[in-house]
């Protein structure tokens, strides 16, 4: 019995240690009325296509796991999937290698600062670690990112941790920072 309790305690501690190496952050566009968002759809990049680019992890099974975890989180908050006229587009990227992304203070009209007209003082950079997942929610009417979540530390000895439970955990931690519901708006 003592051995069983000791093994259980060690497994629990190992699980907690593993959970603690994932760090999460989120940000939202100021003055956004989240009560107007009720539906969502995937961007074309998320919809079963490989990501082009040196820094992105190209793995369709992993993408499907992330998409399922995000779908569960969105549906659980009362959002409805709608290909016809969604209020929000969901985009995510998985970074296999560390990189720096150029962006802007406040959110712009496109992902990662391309094709935007901004003033030089608005520009900033974001350091993204290997094993990071960035999730963007985009207002379809304005084309602006209204909420962004980031989970980093999704690595193990073999690179990016593709375990389904680790992916679900990371997405859940990201959405813990998202305090809005489509079926019952709550402010955060």
């Amino acid at each position: 019995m003592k051995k069983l309790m000791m093994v259980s305690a060690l497994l629990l501690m190992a699980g907690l240690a593993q959970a603690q190496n994932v760090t999460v952050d989120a940000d939202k566009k100021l003055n956004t009325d989240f009560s107007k968002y009720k539906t969502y759809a995937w961007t074309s990049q998320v919809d079963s296509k490989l990501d082009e680019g040196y820094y992105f992890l190209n793995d369709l099974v992993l993408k499907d796991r992330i998409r399922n975890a995000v779908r569960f989180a969105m549906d659980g908050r009362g959002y409805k999937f709608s290909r016809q006229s969604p209020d929000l587009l969901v985009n995510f990227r998985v970074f296999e290698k560390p990189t720096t992304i150029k962006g802007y203070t406040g959110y712009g009209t496109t992902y990662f600062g391309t094709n935007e007209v901004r003033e030089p003082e608005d520009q900033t950079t974001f350091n993204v670690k290997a094993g990071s997942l960035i999730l963007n929610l985009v207002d379809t009417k304005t084309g602006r990112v209204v909420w962004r979540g980031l989970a980093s530390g999704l690595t193990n000895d073999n690179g990016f941790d593709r375990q389904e439970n680790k992916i679900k955990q990371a997405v859940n931690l990201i959405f813990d920072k998202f305090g809005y519901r489509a079926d019952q708006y709550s402010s955060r």
Side-chain angles (χ1 to χ4, degrees):
M1 184 69 163
K2 275 187 170 181
K3 282 186 180 180
L4 180 61
M5 292 195 53
M6 182 66 120
V7 169
S8 296
L10 286 173
L11 287 174
L12 178 62
M13 288 175 22
L16 289 174
Q18 185 180 17
Q20 291 173 345
N21 65 7
V22 174
T23 57
V24 178
D25 196 12
D27 196 15
K28 69 175 185 170
K29 183 178 181 300
L30 298 176
N31 302 320
T32 300
D33 178 10
F34 283 89
S35 67
K36 67 183 178 180
Y37 303 123
K38 305 292 182 202
T39 59
Y40 72 98
W42 307 114
T43 63
S44 61
Q45 172 271 327
V46 170
D47 213 7
S48 299
K49 295 180 184 175
L50 292 176
D51 290 330
E52 293 183 27
Y54 179 70
Y55 296 98
F56 304 129
L57 188 62
N58 282 312
D59 183 330
L60 292 177
V61 172
L62 174 65
K63 188 178 274 193
D64 187 56
R65 288 179 179 168
I66 296 169
R67 196 172 40 243
N68 288 338
V70 171
R71 178 183 295 119
F72 184 79
M74 293 292 285
D75 292 352
R77 286 163 178 76
Y79 294 90
K80 302 292 183 204
F81 184 81
S82 172
R83 286 188 193 266
Q84 304 305 327
S85 58
D87 301 319
L88 293 169
L89 287 176
V90 179
N91 183 35
F92 60 80
R93 293 285 171 108
V94 176
F95 289 83
E96 184 174 31
K97 301 177 192 282
T99 188
T100 301
I101 297 174
K102 287 185 179 180
Y104 295 89
T105 55
Y107 292 118
T109 58
T110 60
Y111 304 127
F112 307 123
T114 59
N115 299 324
E116 291 185 331
V117 177
R118 294 290 184 126
E119 299 299 322
E121 62 270 9
D122 294 336
Q123 191 170 15
T124 187
T125 57
F126 304 95
N127 293 320
V128 178
K129 298 177 184 176
S132 293
L133 167 65
I134 294 180
L135 173 74
N136 292 311
L137 300 180
V138 180
D139 183 311
T140 57
K141 287 185 175 60
T142 65
R144 294 180 183 253
V145 175
V146 293
W147 189 84
R148 176 176 291 149
L150 166 74
S152 60
L154 296 167
T155 56
N156 59 26
D157 294 337
N158 297 323
F160 195 88
D161 193 338
R162 292 170 170 83
Q163 291 182 28
E164 190 168 6
N165 287 337
K166 185 77 166 202
I167 299 304
K168 286 179 181 177
Q169 174 198 34
V171 170
N172 284 337
L173 289 171
I174 289 172
F175 274 98
D176 282 349
K177 302 275 186 179
F178 183 73
Y180 309 99
R181 300 184 59 86
D183 54 2
Q184 183 180 0
Y185 178 74
S186 61
S187 66
R188 177 176 265 188

mmCIF file of all heavy atoms in Angstrom, residues 19 21 45 67 111 128 131-132:
data_model
loop_
_atom_site.group_PDB
_atom_site.id
_atom_site.type_symbol
_atom_site.label_atom_id
_atom_site.label_comp_id
_atom_site.label_asym_id
_atom_site.label_seq_id
_atom_site.Cartn_x
_atom_site.Cartn_y
_atom_site.Cartn_z
ATOM 1 N N ALA A 19 2.892 20.101 -16.233
ATOM 2 C CA ALA A 19 1.899 21.150 -16.453
ATOM 3 C C ALA A 19 2.501 22.530 -16.224
ATOM 4 O O ALA A 19 2.117 23.489 -16.859
ATOM 5 C CB ALA A 19 0.695 20.942 -15.541
ATOM 6 N N ASN A 21 5.464 23.614 -16.929
ATOM 7 C CA ASN A 21 6.392 24.141 -17.906
ATOM 8 C C ASN A 21 5.693 24.816 -19.081
ATOM 9 O O ASN A 21 6.340 25.344 -19.949
ATOM 10 C CB ASN A 21 7.384 23.075 -18.383
ATOM 11 C CG ASN A 21 6.731 21.938 -19.133
ATOM 12 O OD1 ASN A 21 5.546 21.981 -19.428
ATOM 13 N ND2 ASN A 21 7.497 20.913 -19.421
ATOM 14 N N GLN A 45 -5.945 28.702 -43.576
ATOM 15 C CA GLN A 45 -4.693 28.094 -43.128
ATOM 16 C C GLN A 45 -4.944 27.008 -42.092
ATOM 17 O O GLN A 45 -4.253 26.003 -42.051
ATOM 18 C CB GLN A 45 -3.767 29.187 -42.577
ATOM 19 C CG GLN A 45 -2.514 28.712 -41.903
ATOM 20 C CD GLN A 45 -2.706 28.450 -40.423
ATOM 21 O OE1 GLN A 45 -3.480 29.103 -39.747
ATOM 22 N NE2 GLN A 45 -2.004 27.474 -39.920
ATOM 23 N N ARG A 67 -7.107 21.961 -33.531
ATOM 24 C CA ARG A 67 -8.429 22.403 -34.018
ATOM 25 C C ARG A 67 -9.540 21.798 -33.166
ATOM 26 O O ARG A 67 -10.489 22.497 -32.781
ATOM 27 C CB ARG A 67 -8.582 22.021 -35.495
ATOM 28 C CG ARG A 67 -9.686 22.731 -36.207
ATOM 29 C CD ARG A 67 -9.714 22.491 -37.714
ATOM 30 N NE ARG A 67 -9.424 21.133 -38.092
ATOM 31 C CZ ARG A 67 -8.366 20.738 -38.823
ATOM 32 N NH1 ARG A 67 -7.502 21.622 -39.257
ATOM 33 N NH2 ARG A 67 -8.186 19.476 -39.127
ATOM 34 N N TYR A 111 -2.689 39.321 -40.131
ATOM 35 C CA TYR A 111 -1.869 38.533 -39.218
ATOM 36 C C TYR A 111 -0.411 38.944 -39.304
ATOM 37 O O TYR A 111 0.131 39.118 -40.371
ATOM 38 C CB TYR A 111 -1.951 37.044 -39.549
ATOM 39 C CG TYR A 111 -3.326 36.498 -39.565
ATOM 40 C CD1 TYR A 111 -3.804 35.805 -40.658
ATOM 41 C CD2 TYR A 111 -4.167 36.685 -38.493
ATOM 42 C CE1 TYR A 111 -5.083 35.291 -40.673
ATOM 43 C CE2 TYR A 111 -5.451 36.187 -38.500
ATOM 44 C CZ TYR A 111 -5.887 35.490 -39.596
ATOM 45 O OH TYR A 111 -7.149 34.995 -39.614
ATOM 46 N N VAL A 128 9.189 34.687 -29.844
ATOM 47 C CA VAL A 128 8.390 33.471 -29.747
ATOM 48 C C VAL A 128 9.347 32.309 -29.570
ATOM 49 O O VAL A 128 10.262 32.119 -30.384
ATOM 50 C CB VAL A 128 7.527 33.276 -31.017
ATOM 51 C CG1 VAL A 128 6.729 31.988 -30.928
ATOM 52 C CG2 VAL A 128 6.606 34.460 -31.213
ATOM 53 N N GLY A 131 8.246 25.642 -29.715
ATOM 54 C CA GLY A 131 7.216 24.959 -28.948
ATOM 55 C C GLY A 131 6.108 25.880 -28.483
ATOM 56 O O GLY A 131 5.524 25.682 -27.431
ATOM 57 N N SER A 132 5.823 26.913 -29.275
ATOM 58 C CA SER A 132 4.773 27.867 -28.927
ATOM 59 C C SER A 132 3.587 27.735 -29.864
ATOM 60 O O SER A 132 3.740 27.453 -31.044
ATOM 61 C CB SER A 132 5.294 29.306 -28.999
ATOM 62 O OG SER A 132 6.257 29.537 -27.999
#
